[in-house]
Amino acid sequence: EPDVTIVSGLKDMVVFEGDDVTFQCQVSHENARDVEWKLQDVALQNNEMNEISVEKGKVHKLTLRKVTDQDIGTITFRVGPHTSTA
């Protein structure tokens, strides 16, 4: 299986409380496995507050809905041994 790397990393974002914010990270290969999103070292799951999706097979997206001051912190995207933070 090819080593999947991060082609385009996360960007820092500033948002207002109550807004939605989307982070995206592009990887080198489609259908990457062993992918994880974290907020302050807590793994995120796809649910009504966090939307995790993949577009065109390579662009991984995380949308945090109606952010609060509890959501302040570091977002981490990991694929295999490679990480990107914002």
Side-chain angles (χ1 to χ4, degrees):
E1 192 168 295
D3 184 27
V4 178
T5 60
I6 295 172
V7 175
S8 172
L10 299 176
K11 308 258 188 301
D12 290 341
M13 306 290 272
V14 176
V15 292
F16 293 102
E17 193 168 6
D19 286 353
D20 295 351
V21 61
T22 300
F23 295 91
Q24 68 178 37
C25 206
Q26 183 175 347
V27 298
S28 58
H29 295 77
E30 291 186 13
N31 305 318
R33 293 192 193 120
D34 195 21
V35 170
E36 183 177 47
W37 287 97
K38 287 184 176 180
L39 172 59
Q40 305 182 90
D41 287 331
V42 176
L44 298 175
Q45 305 298 323
N46 200 18
N47 58 36
E48 66 278 351
M49 296 307 292
N50 312 316
E51 181 184 329
I52 297 171
S53 62
V54 180
E55 283 185 5
K56 299 181 185 132
K58 294 183 182 180
V59 179
H60 293 256
K61 290 189 173 190
L62 166 67
T63 300
L64 302 179
R65 305 232 178 264
K66 298 181 176 64
V67 296
T68 69
D69 59 1
Q70 305 292 313
D71 297 317
I72 293 172
T74 301
I75 292 285
T76 304
F77 173 82
R78 181 186 62 76
V79 57
H82 307 286
T83 61
S84 178
T85 59

